[in-house]
Amino acid sequence: MLSAGTEKGLGWLLKAVYVVAGFLCFLFIVAPSVLLVLAAFSEAKYFSFPPKGFSLHWFHEMASHAGYRQSVVRSIEIATVSTLLSVGVALPTALSLKKNGNQTIEAIVLAPLFFPLVIWALGLIQFYGMIGFSRSSFSIILAHTVMIMPFVFRIILQSMREMSGWLEEAAYSLGAGKWRTFRKVTLPIVAPGILVGAIFGFLVSFTDVTLTMFIAGSGEATFPVRVYSEQIQGLNPIVLAWSVVFTALIFVMSFVGEKVARWSRFF
């Protein structure tokens, strides 16, 4: 049997191991983003670290490069429409499952989360070919809607399950119909979950490479696909500037989302 002093020493040792392991994990996650952000302000005409001097040259190039701007706009358009469609499907589905609790249907809706994306993309290409569906923005939107809908659905359903059922029952007892109860009671309560699901779905769609590479036709390349295709031969510093912009936006969205909606509870 260990003495009290030995147990205390082991406790401190384990605590130190946990702290060091946590710090190393955090460093491993954050370090790549920090490296890219610092390199974006370098004067060098190629990726280099540590940065050589300080310059905003690549941010000016970013603003004037029409090709990257168009691909960013394309990504935003596809992600926005896909997110709206996925919310439109996920919200009534989650509302229905909250009431009847059919686990089989829930498992079917969540099944795409476990599909290998590459295999599903290959199958989708064959399916599009069979029905004569051309590769276009619309075909990408449909594919992205199916891809992100389970994420949105899961977050919305979790938000609804956290809601107290007696609130809706109280509204019914006071004479409110189903539609009015939904608008006045259910929707305002689950709105944070819907917002978090929409933001998460948008980010998944916006950053997708694998599915979009298979589905996109010529002239339909999104920003992530363009970056992947071009960076095979070397990292373009313009991409570093865009990385700084996206990193800052995601950080702000995460901070605001946590403060306003406590969105970490949905993950």
Side-chain angles (χ1 to χ4, degrees):
M1 185 173 181
L2 298 177
S3 64
T6 304
E7 289 184 354
K8 185 176 181 180
L10 288 175
W12 280 105
L13 179 61
L14 288 175
K15 185 176 181 180
V17 170
Y18 293 152
V19 171
V20 172
F23 174 77
L24 291 176
C25 290
F26 177 77
L27 183 64
F28 184 77
I29 294 171
V30 174
S33 298
V34 174
L35 185 148
L36 291 179
V37 169
L38 294 177
F41 294 95
S42 174
E43 293 179 347
K45 295 183 179 180
Y46 51 87
F47 174 77
S48 63
F49 193 88
K52 298 180 179 180
F54 179 85
S55 174
L56 297 176
H57 171 72
W58 297 116
F59 291 89
H60 294 298
E61 289 290 325
M62 176 191 76
S64 61
H65 198 292
Y68 277 110
R69 288 204 315 270
Q70 291 173 358
S71 62
V72 169
V73 171
R74 176 79 62 186
S75 294
I76 293 175
E77 292 174 346
I78 291 174
T80 300
V81 177
S82 301
T83 300
L84 292 175
L85 290 175
S86 64
V87 170
V89 174
L91 180 58
T93 305
L95 186 63
S96 175
L97 286 180
K98 175 183 175 294
K99 294 180 178 180
N100 58 43
N102 192 315
Q103 294 184 347
T104 301
I105 296 178
E106 182 177 347
I108 293 174
V109 175
L110 294 175
L113 290 175
F114 309 100
F115 289 166
L117 199 55
V118 173
I119 296 176
W120 184 65
L122 288 172
L124 190 59
I125 290 177
Q126 301 302 318
F127 177 71
Y128 278 171
M130 289 176 57
I131 63 176
F133 204 45
S134 61
R135 298 185 181 185
S136 61
S137 294
F138 186 63
S139 63
I140 301 175
I141 288 172
L142 288 180
H144 278 215
T145 300
V146 175
M147 176 181 66
I148 67 177
M149 198 277 286
F151 294 98
V152 180
F153 164 78
R154 185 67 185 88
I155 294 173
I156 293 177
L157 182 62
Q158 178 62 27
S159 179
M160 288 185 173
R161 284 175 173 170
E162 290 181 355
M163 182 181 67
S164 299
W166 64 266
L167 294 172
E168 291 178 316
E169 295 176 1
Y172 293 145
S173 66
L174 293 174
K178 292 184 177 180
W179 172 240
R180 189 173 184 182
T181 300
F182 173 75
R183 286 190 301 110
K184 298 294 186 179
V185 179
T186 307
L187 188 59
I189 294 175
V190 301
I194 297 173
L195 179 61
V196 171
I199 293 174
F200 190 76
F202 179 90
L203 293 176
V204 171
S205 174
F206 184 87
T207 57
D208 175 72
V209 175
T210 305
L211 180 60
T212 309
M213 283 188 65
F214 282 92
I215 304 301
S218 59
E220 297 292 338
T222 60
F223 178 75
V225 172
R226 183 188 182 100
V227 170
Y228 177 80
S229 301
E230 293 185 359
Q231 301 322 302
I232 293 177
Q233 300 181 2
L235 187 59
N236 190 335
I238 296 178
V239 175
L240 299 179
W242 278 111
S243 300
V244 173
V245 174
F246 293 140
T247 300
L249 287 175
I250 293 174
F251 176 80
V252 172
M253 290 169 60
S254 301
F255 180 79
V256 174
E258 185 62 29
K259 288 293 183 180
V260 175
R262 291 192 303 111
W263 67 355
S264 61
R265 74 183 193 272
F266 296 108
F267 303 103

